[in-house]
Amino acid sequence: MQRFWLFKSEPDTFSIQNLAASKGKKTSWEGVRNYQARNMLRDDIQRGDGVCFYHSNTDPLAITGTAEVVKSGYPDHFAMQPEHKYFDEAASSAKPIWYMVDIQLVRIFKRPVTRTMLAEHPVTSQMMLMQKGTRLSIQPVTADEWQAVHELAEIG
DNA sequence: GCCAACGTTGGC
DNA sequence: GCCAACGTTGGC
């Protein structure tokens, strides 16, 4: 069954335009170092799932498009590279600790669905993203929320 | 730039 | 196992 997710990214680090410019419009989603998010990457996020691509820590804050999961969870090998910024000495091939998935761009919204738009819509205003203090960089999105985001993208 | 919320660390 | 201190996230 297809499920839906929201991935946060700071556009200064990796934007949806960077994804569009990547080879095959694909990227690996490494560097997640939070156990709750790790569990979703490892256990729940499957090939074919939909991803809302959210730009955080920028102006405007917005879901800027969508992507599709093209490879489900596998060990984040960057954690095993001593020179890499995502290195974690506790990670090994026997116990990877951290996981990542691969995603591929589906579309960049002609107009981003801004946080303001999300807040004003009865369905999207209830998204985990909109709840105070939610710092999870990977979040589940319901089918209703997924549909509402697309409706807002059309209106926008 | 501020600061609240959160997760992690480490002393005890 | 508790919890204070600390670093980070991320909206505002």
Side-chain angles (χ1 to χ4, degrees):
Chain A
M1 186 191 92
Q2 187 191 27
R3 287 193 269 193
F4 307 102
W5 311 93
L6 180 141
F7 286 15
K8 280 186 205 168
S9 188
E10 300 192 14
D12 288 350
T13 305
F14 190 83
S15 68
I16 200 164
Q17 287 77 20
N18 292 137
L19 177 58
S22 301
K23 187 181 176 187
K25 302 189 178 187
K26 290 185 205 173
T27 189
S28 53
W29 204 259
E30 68 272 15
V32 174
R33 295 292 180 267
N34 169 284
Y35 285 103
Q36 209 178 334
R38 186 281 307 271
N39 292 346
M40 289 187 268
L41 288 169
R42 187 188 59 190
D43 304 332
D44 301 327
I45 301 178
Q46 299 298 326
R47 182 183 168 86
D49 286 357
V51 174
C52 289
F53 198 106
Y54 179 76
H55 282 179
S56 66
N57 247 323
T58 189
D59 189 16
L61 297 164
I63 298 171
T64 49
T66 57
E68 179 178 335
V69 177
V70 292
K71 185 174 180 180
S72 61
Y74 62 104
D76 183 343
H77 53 81
F78 296 99
M80 302 169 208
Q81 298 174 13
E83 304 307 317
H84 201 275
K85 64 173 174 174
Y86 294 136
F87 179 63
D88 180 349
E89 61 178 6
S92 66
S93 41
K95 285 194 173 181
I97 307 181
W98 306 114
Y99 285 78
M100 59 189 186
V101 300
D102 292 352
I103 64 170
Q104 181 174 35
L105 182 69
V106 172
R107 66 174 58 86
I108 297 178
F109 291 149
K110 286 200 175 66
R111 293 219 180 79
V113 178
T114 64
R115 193 174 176 88
T116 304
M117 292 163 67
L118 293 170
E120 287 170 350
H121 186 282
V123 173
T124 55
S125 64
Q126 303 305 308
M127 292 174 76
M128 184 183 290
L129 177 73
M130 304 304 293
Q131 286 158 31
K132 189 174 157 73
T134 302
R135 298 193 316 184
L136 261 187
S137 64
I138 295 198
Q139 304 175 0
V141 168
T142 68
D144 285 351
E145 290 164 354
W146 176 261
Q147 187 182 341
V149 166
H150 283 79
E151 287 167 6
L152 288 170
E154 291 295 319
I155 295 163

